[in-house]
């Protein structure tokens, strides 16, 4: 007899072929019919279940197509599979250790950064990287996407792996206007966000056993993606002038990853002296510099600082940019400006990775850049985030006064807040208590090598671009309650 599962019993009226097929398959795998047993005839099973013979026949045919039963004319269906040791279907699908992984897979499995899943239950989530949906230029983007969809080519085809020529030409002009970068269209590769750009750099420039220079503290996702190649990090301290390039003299590395225009997470700007030292070191060591210019559009104290690539003699700099911090992280559009000798290999690597970035989104972004809408939107977003920044700074001063020290507030979309009365060992209890009160906060410790074990006090990386001014104020008040609760 075919026994239906609770899910199937509660499904829509009238048991269909799929329900019968699933029940029979589960019972076959569970060994109900033995290793070579026979099943009811289509006629008998149809009578038993109150369905048509055609419905049962369809179920048996699907089972036969998948190799569960053998059907012979004039005979009842017979089980065609043997489940070793009589294991049930559920037991067969229990998660366990992988049979084998490549070295990359083993490194990823053992050292992967835990994923942070946003919670909808929080009053205020100060997670860095979130953006306000109300800032997104919905009408302009929708019109640009509609226009791109209506401009149908005579045939659909895989495009240039480097990206749409129209978008690369528009970005060429934008980078010159906004970042003082002179580059050729063919030096630009469109990627699915800056993370893919970093992935391409890691795979093309690093081998197992190589060394790479990285700031300490740093962007953990960049560190992770370079380490997954088997390369070894050479962390270099950061101060108010950026990475300590004066410490690089004896460091042999094939690559240096830096955030010179706005160091992540501390917010410092690399001084011109340090920039020149870094460029000289890279030239002497025949190393490439990967410059991550992730949120350069947001400076609140002065005009944006020109990137390394805009300096003379920066022929070995790979520039990585993104629209995740200006439009939306959901768009997954970034760009890499590569030296001429790397154009071809980056294009081939991009082609092997995913052929090319989505074409409609590229065309829509090109429209926004060509029309001036993008730059107008950036100016508007900068004003909105300046107000959010002011709301956060004001709230922190009111609630915590001189018990906190704030760094990196001059630019970007986050600040670093040091709680002078709390030790770094109290981070877990502070985070948990804040979450209970409805506030999401994030420790700065994971950004340091050694997990910040030598930090003198507790630090938080607090993003604000995804919150309203009211949410920020309410969130900081609740944060004060959590702070008092663990003192």
């Amino acid at each position: 007899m075919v026994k239906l599962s609770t899910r199937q019993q509660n499904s829509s009226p009238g048991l269909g072929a799929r329900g019968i097929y699933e029940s029979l398959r589960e019972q076959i795998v569970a060994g109900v019919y033995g290793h070579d047993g026979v099943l009811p005839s289509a006629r008998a099973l149809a009578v038993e279940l109150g369905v048509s013979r055609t419905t049962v026949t369809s179920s048996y045919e699907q089972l036969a197509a998948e190799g569960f039963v053998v059907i012979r004319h004039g005979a009842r269906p017979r089980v065609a599979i043997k489940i070793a040791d009589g294991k049930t279907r559920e037991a067969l699908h229990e998660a366990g250790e992988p049979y084998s992984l490549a070295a990359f897979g083993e490194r990823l499995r053992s050292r992967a950064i835990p994923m942070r899943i946003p919670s909808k239950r929080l009053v205020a989530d100060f997670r860095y990287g979130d953006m306000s949906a109300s800032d997104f230029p919905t009408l302009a983007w929708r019109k640009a996407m509609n226009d791109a969809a209506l401009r149908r080519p005579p045939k659909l085809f895989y495009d240039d792996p480097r990206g749409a020529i129209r978008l690369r030409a528009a970005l060429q002009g934008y980078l010159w206007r906004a970042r003082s970068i002179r580059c050729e269209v063919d030096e630009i590769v469109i990627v699915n966000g800056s993370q893919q750009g970093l992935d391409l750099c890691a795979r093309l420039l690093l081998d197992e056993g190589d060394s790479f220079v990285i700031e300490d503290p740093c962007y953990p996702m960049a560190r992770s993606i370079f380490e997954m190649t088997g390369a070894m990090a050479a962390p270099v301290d950061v101060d108010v002038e950026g990475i300590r390039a004066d410490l690089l003299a004896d460091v042999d590395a094939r690559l240096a990853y830096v955030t010179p225009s706005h160091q992540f997470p501390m917010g410092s700007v690399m001084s011109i002296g340090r920039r020149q030292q870094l460029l000289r070191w890279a030239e002497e060591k025949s190393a490439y510099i990967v410059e991550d210019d992730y949120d350069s559009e947001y400076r609140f104290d002065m005009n944006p600082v020109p990137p390394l690539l805009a300096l003379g003699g920066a022929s070995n700099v790979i520039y990585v940019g993104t629209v995740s911090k200006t439009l939306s992280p959901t768009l997954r559009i970034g760009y890499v400006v590569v030296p001429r000798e790397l154009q071809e290999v980056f294009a081939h690597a991009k082609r092997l990775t995913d052929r090319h970035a989505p074409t409609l989104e590229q065309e829509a972004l090109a429209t926004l850049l060509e029309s001036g809408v993008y730059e107008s939107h950036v100016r508007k977003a900068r004003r909105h985030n300046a107000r959010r920044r002011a709301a956060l700074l004001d709230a922190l001063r009111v609630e915590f006064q001189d018990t906190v020290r704030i760094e990196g507030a001059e630019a970007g979309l986050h600040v670093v807040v040091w709680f002078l009365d709390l030790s770094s060992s109290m981070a877990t209890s502070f985070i948990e208590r804040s979450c209970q009160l409805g506030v999401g906060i994030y420790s700065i410790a994971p950004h340091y090598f050694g997990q910040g074990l030598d930090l003198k006090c507790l630090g938080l990386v607090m993003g604000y671009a995804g919150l309203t001014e009211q949410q920020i104020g309410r969130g900081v008040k609740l944060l004060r309650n959590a702070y008092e609760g663990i003192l």
Side-chain angles (χ1 to χ4, degrees):
M1 177 178 178
V2 177
K3 296 179 180 180
L4 304 183
S5 66
T6 302
R7 174 176 58 82
Q8 291 162 340
Q9 291 172 357
N10 295 334
S11 61
S12 56
L15 182 64
R18 183 175 182 82
I20 297 171
Y21 151 78
E22 290 178 348
S23 293
L24 289 171
R25 184 186 62 182
E26 290 175 3
Q27 292 180 44
I28 291 170
V29 175
V32 173
Y33 296 101
H35 297 321
D36 193 31
V38 293
L39 280 71
S41 68
R43 185 189 303 277
L45 188 55
V47 172
E48 177 186 331
L49 298 178
V51 298
S52 72
R53 184 178 177 183
T54 301
T55 299
V56 176
T57 300
S58 177
S59 302
Y60 278 155
E61 289 174 347
Q62 183 63 35
L63 290 168
E66 295 181 15
F68 286 94
V69 300
V70 174
I71 299 176
R72 293 186 178 90
H73 181 69
R76 291 160 61 185
R78 182 176 293 276
V79 174
I81 63 172
K82 180 178 180 180
I83 305 301
D85 301 325
K87 292 182 179 178
T88 65
R89 179 170 180 260
E90 288 75 16
L92 286 171
H93 286 76
E94 286 180 353
E97 292 295 314
Y99 288 121
S100 64
L101 288 173
F104 177 92
E106 287 292 350
R107 286 189 290 267
L108 186 62
R109 187 169 67 92
S110 61
R111 290 184 277 173
I113 299 172
M115 296 185 185
R116 300 182 304 169
I117 306 300
S119 173
K120 297 180 180 179
R121 297 181 292 115
L122 296 176
V123 174
D125 189 352
F126 290 98
R127 189 172 76 148
Y128 171 76
D130 292 353
M131 304 290 292
S132 174
S134 64
D135 287 354
F136 187 77
T138 304
L139 295 179
W141 183 259
R142 184 173 66 183
K143 183 179 184 303
M145 284 289 286
N146 288 341
D147 290 345
L150 291 173
R151 287 195 300 269
R152 292 184 297 180
K155 63 179 179 178
L156 303 177
F157 55 91
Y158 293 112
D159 207 345
D160 189 327
R162 294 170 297 180
I165 185 65
R166 181 171 168 235
L167 175 56
R168 289 187 286 134
L171 279 170
Q172 179 193 33
Y174 171 74
L175 289 172
W176 167 236
R177 295 191 303 272
R179 305 299 289 129
S180 302
I181 292 175
R182 292 183 182 273
C183 64
E184 301 297 326
V185 170
D186 288 343
E187 294 173 341
I188 300 174
V189 179
I190 307 300
V191 290
N192 290 320
S194 60
Q195 196 67 26
Q196 187 184 46
L198 298 180
D199 178 52
L200 292 176
C201 291
R203 287 195 280 168
L204 292 173
L205 303 177
L206 291 174
D207 286 320
E208 185 171 358
D210 287 340
S211 294
F212 65 95
V213 168
I214 191 168
E215 301 157 329
D216 187 17
C218 66
Y219 173 45
M221 291 281 280
R223 172 188 173 182
S224 182
I225 207 162
F226 293 131
E227 286 183 332
M228 289 307 105
T229 65
M232 298 174 291
V236 178
D237 290 344
V238 168
D239 62 19
V240 293
E241 293 185 56
I243 190 171
R244 290 283 306 278
D246 56 306
L247 301 178
L248 291 174
D250 297 325
V251 177
D252 289 317
R254 292 183 62 178
L255 178 152
Y257 169 80
V258 291
T259 52
S261 297
H262 181 225
Q263 200 279 328
F264 187 87
M266 300 308 299
S268 58
V269 176
M270 191 184 297
S271 66
I272 185 62
R274 296 273 178 89
R275 290 171 185 241
Q276 291 171 339
Q277 282 181 311
L278 179 61
L279 289 170
R280 283 197 299 270
W281 169 85
E283 185 68 26
E284 291 170 1
K285 302 295 184 180
S286 298
Y288 285 102
I289 298 172
V290 178
E291 177 179 17
D292 191 345
D293 209 20
Y294 65 99
D295 66 357
S296 59
E297 291 85 358
Y298 297 103
R299 282 214 72 86
F300 304 110
D301 59 343
M302 64 182 78
N303 291 329
V305 177
L308 278 172
L309 188 57
L311 297 178
S315 60
N316 54 349
V317 174
I318 300 169
Y319 178 89
V320 182
T322 180
V323 301
S324 294
K325 305 299 184 293
T326 51
L327 285 174
S328 169
T330 64
L331 290 180
R332 311 312 309 139
I333 298 179
Y335 45 92
V336 182
V337 181
V338 301
R340 292 180 181 177
E341 70 271 14
L342 295 179
Q343 292 176 26
E344 187 173 350
V345 70
F346 264 80
H348 285 307
K350 174 63 177 171
R351 180 168 173 259
L352 287 175
T353 301
D354 60 2
R355 289 283 190 165
H356 57 73
T359 303
L360 287 181
E361 285 81 354
Q362 291 187 68
E363 292 294 329
L365 179 56
T367 296
L368 266 57
L369 285 164
E370 291 168 350
S371 64
V373 170
Y374 178 78
E375 286 164 90
S376 175
H377 162 73
V378 169
R379 290 191 293 270
K380 184 177 179 181
R382 188 184 296 126
R383 291 194 297 270
H384 288 173
N385 284 310
R387 289 195 291 269
R388 295 182 182 110
R389 164 184 170 271
L392 177 58
L393 297 179
D394 289 345
L396 288 170
R397 292 188 186 104
V398 169
E399 297 297 333
F400 294 96
Q401 299 178 15
D402 58 357
T403 62
V404 299
R405 185 178 77 250
I406 302 170
E407 294 186 48
E410 295 80 13
L413 300 175
H414 74 278
V415 297
V416 174
V417 183
W418 298 100
F419 290 78
L420 306 179
D421 295 337
L422 301 180
S423 68
S424 58
S425 62
M426 302 173 73
T428 299
S429 57
F430 192 24
I431 290 170
E432 290 177 352
R433 178 60 179 160
S434 298
C435 186
Q436 292 170 359
L437 296 177
V439 181
I441 54 173
Y442 305 90
S443 171
I444 196 173
H447 297 265
Y448 284 88
F449 285 77
Q451 294 293 300
L453 295 178
D454 58 347
L455 293 176
K456 296 180 180 179
C457 58
L458 189 153
L460 298 180
V461 179
M462 298 185 68
Y464 52 81
L467 300 170
T468 65
E469 294 170 53
Q470 292 73 25
Q471 287 174 318
I472 291 170
R474 177 61 176 156
V476 174
K477 286 182 181 294
L478 292 172
L479 189 62
R480 175 71 194 190
N481 293 338
Y483 170 82
E484 293 175 346
I486 65 168
L487 280 177

